[in-house]
Amino acid sequence: MKKRNIFSTLLMLGAVGAVLTGCGSNNASSTNTNGSSSASEHAGKVTAVGSTALQPLVEKAAGQFQNDNKKISITVQGGGSGTGLSQVQDGAVQIGDSDIFAESKQGIDASKLEDHKVAVVGMAPVVNKDAGVENVSMAQLKDIFTGKITNWKEVGGKDEKITVVNRAEGSGTRATFEDAVLKGDKAVKSQEQDSNGTVQKIVSSTPGAISYLAFSYLNDSVKPLSIDKVKPTDENVESNKWKIWSYEHMYTKGKAKTATADFLKYMDSKDVQDNLVKKMGYISIHNMKVQKDSKGNVTNK
Amino acid sequence: MGRAICYFCIGLIIALVVCILYFITSRGIATFTQNHVNVWGFLTGSDWNPGAVDAHGNPEVGALPMIVTSFAVTILSALLATPFALGMAIFMSEIAGKKGTKFLQPVIELLVGIPSVVYGFIGLTVVVPIIRKVFGGTGFGILAGTIVLFVMVLPTITSLSVDSLKAVPLSYRQASLALGANRWQTIYKVILRTAAPGILTAVIFGMARAFGEALAVQMVIGNAILMPKGLVSPASTLTSKLTTDVGNTVMGTLPNNALWSLALILLFMSLFFNLLVRFIGKKGSIKK
């Protein structure tokens, strides 16, 4: 009888504890990471959360990294740039993945975060194949996304209504695209989709549709547009001839330590930058001939 | 020992419900208490752009288009599904007998088991293009959402209706037939009338499911935060807005709080549906 009582008391205690931590806050998970318990410098758990655009690259790199460093375990999750930035700011994870500069996100104190740029991603406007357009000027593109141009014949295409497909408000891809194209103007209210995959599907199947995609999602089902006769290629991004691109950031709270630092160093290594980054459709940070600051000013490197 | 486990489980569930209610409410009202958004403006405004401010310096958080769309798809899909569900339920409980039920039951259960992302994908690849060809527009919109939800709420309404039809005592049927009524008269005048509260409950449960469905609707509704002008213009429901945006906002900021306020509306609606079901159940039981 006594034994049973002890057991059920323990169960109760456990339950209360579980409920309290569950209710508590985001900080709950910070305790089990980067613990001082490990004797070796190169052991520990690293969690990277955030941008779904960066997620595949980090996942692949983490897999390779763990093969050589058995003591370090890396968990990679999506959730969006906003989630990544707020989780790393709260100290809930070691690395916050983001498509945008922390400075440009409302509610984030960028001075507390350290920026590690691991890749560059280019984005291109894409249209349904039947639009009959190959090239637009930057001004025309802006007019399309602000709703001033509503038919493809106005930019030399077929007589067909333009259907604008936007990304969700606050998405990193949308922020990059709007910074480069709309330059402060408001986009027309239109469809919003949450993922590159859905956007690709909708643009390829809806006549007259236009949206924008990361280079890695370009394929035969949609038609990427040239802007002012500049083609969306990696080389043009590297020289900033193609203006719509952004960094992929991995933010840490303060300076990266031990296992986290090891992993970030690996992300910047030639091994990852020259092979994996290219293979996954991103552009190596080492190849960039220009650099961009958080306000969007571009300077030569 | 058994009792301890039982109490423990109950306690845990109650604590969980309280936590969820507290969490959503405290986050949801932050829009009004911390960011000083007008509640009325939130419910009746039609501009949604929480990251920006309007000409008067107030944040643009008007949830009306989403509320209207949510109700539109819910009510339309329930209206569309109820006749089919009722027909199936009558067939299963009154006409087909055991053999028909044996065949139809797995069919309905199969519909329940299909994940909503599959419904959404079928909607995106099949329903949307058909609507575009037949009705024009882009194909995205309330009509596509209604059709997808129709298939999703059909099994809910059907199986609950079957239960309530089966609960009608055999003596009612026997008495009706003994008085000389034929089968259809018995079904229509006696069984359906007796089971009416149960059937209504079934419809409301179906509506609750439709109101809360996120993924499948998100894929076909178009997610444009505009007042719906027709059945084939892109619109956005409360749930679809929540799922598209929540990963891109930072906890504690206005855009995030505004999303929690949408979640609070959803919570109130599901509480309302629950209360309605209880109310109808009570009324029905008094009648008997």
Side-chain angles (χ1 to χ4, degrees), chain B residues 21-234:
Chain B
L21 286 176
Y22 169 75
F23 191 72
I24 296 182
T25 314
S26 64
R27 287 275 167 193
I29 60 170
T31 313
F32 312 113
T33 54
Q34 285 174 18
N35 306 109
H36 306 294
V37 172
N38 185 312
V39 181
W40 186 245
F42 181 82
L43 291 174
T44 58
S46 56
D47 286 316
W48 181 270
N49 198 3
V53 290
D54 64 10
H56 306 288
N58 297 318
E60 292 183 355
V61 279
L64 190 64
M66 286 166 272
I67 296 173
V68 170
T69 312
S70 271
F71 275 99
V73 289
T74 303
I75 292 166
L76 286 177
S77 62
L79 281 180
L80 192 62
T82 303
F84 290 91
L86 218 50
M88 237 152 98
I90 291 171
F91 180 78
M92 278 168 75
S93 70
E94 307 299 324
I95 297 167
K98 277 214 170 99
K99 263 189 190 160
T101 313
K102 240 183 195 164
F103 169 71
L104 276 176
Q105 195 76 36
V107 171
I108 291 172
E109 277 159 15
L110 195 74
L111 283 181
V112 178
I114 296 172
S116 55
V117 64
V118 174
Y119 282 116
F121 197 71
I122 294 173
L124 187 60
T125 44
V126 181
V127 178
V128 169
I130 291 177
I131 293 177
R132 183 167 56 231
K133 274 185 203 113
V134 179
F135 298 101
T138 54
F140 295 92
I142 291 175
L143 186 60
T146 303
I147 290 171
V148 168
L149 282 178
F150 159 70
V151 187
M152 296 181 80
V153 301
L154 191 64
T156 312
I157 304 182
T158 307
S159 53
L160 287 171
S161 298
V162 168
D163 290 345
S164 67
L165 287 178
K166 281 195 174 149
V168 175
L170 194 63
S171 58
Y172 283 35
R173 297 181 179 85
Q174 288 166 339
S176 166
L177 292 171
L179 286 169
N182 66 25
R183 192 200 243 171
W184 282 112
Q185 286 167 333
T186 306
I187 290 173
Y188 183 63
K189 300 252 161 149
V190 178
I191 298 173
L192 274 185
R193 298 289 155 94
T194 318
I199 292 169
L200 214 54
T201 310
V203 174
I204 291 167
F205 268 118
M207 284 170 76
R209 173 150 166 66
F211 202 80
E213 173 54 41
L215 199 56
V217 176
Q218 187 199 324
M219 290 169 85
V220 300
I221 198 105
N223 301 317
I225 311 163
L226 296 164
M227 273 313 265
K229 289 190 197 74
L231 294 182
V232 290
S233 66

Side-chain angles (χ1 to χ4, degrees), chain A residues 92-211:
Chain A
V93 297
Q94 286 72 50
I95 300 174
D97 298 339
S98 171
D99 306 339
I100 51 172
F101 279 96
E103 283 86 348
S104 55
K105 193 86 198 168
Q106 197 189 337
I108 297 292
D109 183 2
S111 62
K112 294 209 175 87
L113 300 177
E114 193 166 289
D115 188 4
H116 306 267
K117 303 185 183 82
V118 293
V120 169
V121 62
M123 289 150 210
V126 291
V127 295
N128 185 280
K129 280 181 166 171
D130 77 342
V133 179
E134 303 243 325
N135 175 67
V136 290
S137 72
M138 194 59 119
Q140 284 172 333
L141 193 62
K142 181 178 172 178
D143 284 349
I144 289 173
F145 275 92
T146 50
K148 284 189 197 100
I149 294 178
T150 56
N151 195 308
W152 283 115
K153 70 180 175 194
E154 294 173 58
V155 290
K158 251 173 64 174
D159 181 8
E160 184 148 64
K161 207 172 158 270
I162 297 177
T163 301
V164 174
V165 180
N166 226 327
R167 292 293 296 275
E169 192 200 332
S171 115
T173 312
R174 176 164 171 178
T176 306
F177 186 81
E178 295 196 337
D179 279 350
V181 177
L182 301 188
K183 301 192 177 81
D185 275 17
K186 258 192 192 171
V188 62
K189 292 252 181 200
S190 64
Q191 283 205 45
E192 286 178 15
Q193 295 299 339
D194 188 35
S195 71
N196 278 299
T198 319
V199 167
Q200 190 192 53
K201 176 103 196 60
I202 288 174
V203 172
S204 66
S205 64
T206 309
I210 183 168
S211 189

